[in-house]
Amino acid sequence: MQQAKKRRLLASVAAGTLGLSYLTAEYLFNFAFKRVDYVPETSADKQKYAAQYWRYVDWFKKVEKEHWTWSTDDGDDQMSAYFIPADDSTKAVIISHGYKGNGETMANYAKMFHELGFNVLLPDDRGHGQSAGKYISFGWLDRLDYLTWLNRLIKRLGAQTKLLLFGVSMGGATVEMLSGEDLPPQVKAIIADCGYASIHEELTYLLKRQFHLPEYPIYPLVSTINRHRLGYYLGDISSTDQLKKNHRPIFFIHGEKDTYVPASMALENYQATDAPKELWIVDHASHAESFWLDPTAYRAHIQAFLNKYFY
């Protein structure tokens, strides 16, 4: 009798624990993956750059540009991007934005590349900005969308165009994951700033650091929820796996003091590819701060990489 009561109690505790774990996973999935129709306030360490940031946004709003769209397979959902043309230039960069950002939030990079003579394309990823999508795919579905954007650029600029892939944070991981796809020959080089090595590694790191939660059972439950909502497990999302298939020159940039995506992930990504590669760990820079810390030095490093591998 006592044994039966004990088994029922243990079963009840186990069921309650599982239920609580699922509710926690559902909350975290919605918190991290659900679309947000606004750009959250930047982190405290970068608010000191607000005046400079809004000057770049003002430039973006005023510069001549075109709104490009295309429809997904079902025809109901549209993907959105802004194209900033450059006079008499057949080189172009596609700029991939960060988590819960949009193309406009990359105005500083857009202006830098435009001044370097590039046509600039600024997509809004799935679940961001003016593009469709209920959920954020952390670059995994976006990498395939970017194949469409690349073909649109080639159609607009001609087969002789030379294309550069550039991204920051989630955008850095997006172009790293894109590197493993069958890219058109016009893509000549890639620049990835503070991209993560894999979603598994990134989310388990943040679970511990931000929420003080263990990997198990939360991460597998979030991954299962993602499988039901978006069609794939989180273990599929890996920059390092995709970089193993890359053969294009790639430049990795990462802030030394990044506590959101640790700088150790830059080394993982660097080691994953056998392509021509360079790595710049930026002293004193936090997450996605490398440009803002010294825009002149940032531009000079990118120009040096382009001189070596792109032109």
Side-chain angles (χ1 to χ4, degrees):
M1 192 71 165
Q2 286 293 102
Q3 288 295 326
K5 287 183 178 180
K6 187 175 181 180
R7 284 195 296 270
R8 285 196 295 271
L9 178 61
L10 289 173
S12 178
V13 169
T17 301
L18 182 60
L20 180 60
S21 296
Y22 180 82
L23 290 173
T24 302
E26 180 72 25
Y27 167 80
L28 290 172
F29 178 85
N30 287 325
F31 176 82
F33 290 76
K34 199 169 184 179
R35 177 190 190 98
V36 174
D37 287 314
Y38 63 90
V39 177
E41 190 175 65
T42 190
S43 57
D45 65 311
K46 287 192 284 297
Q47 288 180 12
K48 58 182 174 288
Y49 304 116
Q52 296 103 299
Y53 170 77
W54 288 112
R55 283 197 290 270
Y56 285 113
V57 170
D58 187 57
W59 169 86
F60 170 79
K61 291 182 180 297
K62 292 177 180 177
V63 73
E64 177 192 349
K65 56 187 175 293
E66 303 167 12
H67 188 204
W68 289 7
T69 62
W70 58 271
S71 297
T72 54
D73 291 340
D74 57 19
D76 293 330
D77 294 332
Q78 279 201 331
M79 308 306 292
S80 171
Y82 281 97
F83 175 71
I84 303 172
D87 293 336
D88 301 320
S89 176
T90 56
K91 60 184 179 181
V93 59
I94 184 167
I95 297 178
S96 185
H97 64 76
Y99 177 63
K100 294 187 177 177
N102 56 39
E104 182 182 291
T105 63
M106 305 298 279
N108 55 315
Y109 304 103
K111 188 173 187 291
M112 177 186 70
F113 280 110
H114 197 251
E115 289 174 350
L116 291 173
F118 281 80
N119 295 277
V120 177
L121 188 67
L122 296 158
D124 289 348
D125 288 354
R126 288 177 182 245
H128 295 81
Q130 297 180 64
S131 285
K134 295 179 181 178
Y135 300 104
I136 297 167
S137 77
F138 286 88
W140 190 239
L141 298 180
D142 306 305
R143 84 193 196 286
L144 302 178
D145 295 334
Y146 277 48
L147 295 174
T148 298
W149 290 126
L150 289 170
N151 287 327
R152 289 285 301 271
L153 280 169
I154 294 166
K155 183 177 180 181
R156 170 61 181 271
L157 300 173
Q160 77 282 8
T161 191
K162 299 175 73 172
L163 301 177
L164 174 68
L165 308 180
F166 175 87
V168 179
S169 189
M170 186 184 79
T174 301
V175 298
E176 288 164 352
M177 290 188 279
L178 180 56
S179 76
E181 299 303 316
D182 185 15
L183 297 174
Q186 288 85 355
V187 177
K188 303 301 181 184
I190 304 162
I191 301 173
D193 186 334
C194 62
Y196 39 77
S198 69
I199 279 296
H200 172 261
E201 191 171 344
E202 176 66 9
L203 289 189
T204 53
Y205 167 80
L206 293 176
L207 272 177
K208 182 177 181 180
R209 188 174 189 277
Q210 292 189 355
F211 298 98
H212 309 291
L213 290 170
E215 176 178 352
Y216 299 100
I218 303 301
Y219 172 79
L221 287 171
V222 172
S223 182
T224 301
I225 293 169
N226 193 82
R227 173 68 176 81
H228 285 298
R229 305 276 170 83
L230 280 86
Y232 54 88
Y233 291 106
L234 296 182
D236 297 337
I237 310 174
S238 173
S239 298
T240 52
D241 285 349
Q242 290 289 97
L243 284 163
K244 290 174 184 176
K245 297 181 281 184
N246 172 55
H247 63 270
R248 287 172 171 80
I250 184 165
F251 183 22
F252 299 97
I253 303 170
H254 215 108
E256 172 207 10
K257 294 186 176 180
D258 194 334
T259 58
Y260 188 72
V261 179
S264 59
M265 291 196 191
L267 186 58
E268 289 182 60
N269 289 331
Y270 178 84
Q271 292 173 335
T273 184
D274 291 326
K277 56 190 176 181
E278 296 186 3
L279 173 64
W280 178 31
I281 302 296
V282 183
D283 291 342
H284 311 299
S286 63
H287 185 66
E289 191 186 17
S290 297
F291 173 92
W292 300 105
L293 203 61
D294 191 339
T296 301
Y298 193 93
R299 176 170 172 158
H301 275 80
I302 283 181
Q303 184 69 73
F305 174 78
L306 295 175
N307 289 342
K308 190 173 182 180
Y309 294 111
F310 186 81
Y311 297 124

